[in-house]
Amino acid sequence: EMKSLSSPTWFVEFCRVLTQAMSSDHSGLAEQALQFAKNAVFCELVRQNAKQCLPFLLVALVPKTQHNQDDSFLTTTSSASWNPTVRKMTYLVLKKFSDIIPEKEFKHIANTCLN
């Protein structure tokens, strides 16, 4: 069902809307958006459209985590979301994206959009 709506233009716009929910201060909304982002079909579409989608997905997710040179931005900090569930889910989504996208491409996109 979702794959029929997977045209790159539609999916990129959908990701932009989803990032607003992911970065919401309302923990329930952020949790729902982050849960959706872990969906296998969604992750496959992100992998297929990484160059278009990953930059703004990372910008939405990274303020909730620490960006450091050693482990990129996969370490949560006290400046992250006040909600521990949102912090953990954010980490898991970032980890999943880093696992499904080739490392070199992921690092290049992350360094470009976060620096």
Side-chain angles (χ1 to χ4, degrees):
E1 303 115 348
M2 189 170 158
K3 286 188 179 188
S4 65
L5 300 174
S6 64
S7 74
T9 304
W10 179 89
F11 186 68
V12 169
E13 187 55 36
F14 177 76
C15 284
R16 288 180 196 260
V17 172
L18 190 64
T19 60
Q20 293 173 351
M22 286 178 180
S23 56
S24 173
D25 288 336
H26 187 282
S27 63
L29 178 59
E31 286 177 29
Q32 290 296 315
L34 291 163
Q35 185 64 36
F36 187 85
K38 294 190 313 183
N39 175 282
V41 174
F42 180 81
C43 287
E44 176 58 22
L45 292 170
V46 168
R47 188 190 63 74
Q48 292 173 10
N49 299 286
K51 288 180 182 155
Q52 296 87 10
C53 298
L54 199 56
F56 47 86
L57 286 168
L58 291 177
V59 168
L61 294 169
V62 170
K64 297 177 186 237
T65 60
Q66 175 183 3
H67 182 272
N68 65 45
Q69 298 302 330
D70 298 332
D71 192 29
S72 188
F73 39 76
L74 296 177
T75 308
T76 59
T77 67
S78 59
S79 64
S81 172
W82 63 269
N83 185 294
T85 303
V86 170
R87 282 196 309 265
K88 179 159 181 137
M89 291 177 78
T90 299
Y91 170 82
L92 293 173
V93 169
L94 285 168
K95 180 74 173 126
K96 188 159 195 159
F97 289 166
S98 72
D99 289 344
I100 63 169
I101 297 168
E103 183 179 0
K104 186 175 181 180
E105 181 180 4
F106 186 86
K107 285 184 177 183
H108 174 74
I109 293 170
N111 287 333
T112 301
C113 73
L114 298 174
N115 293 324

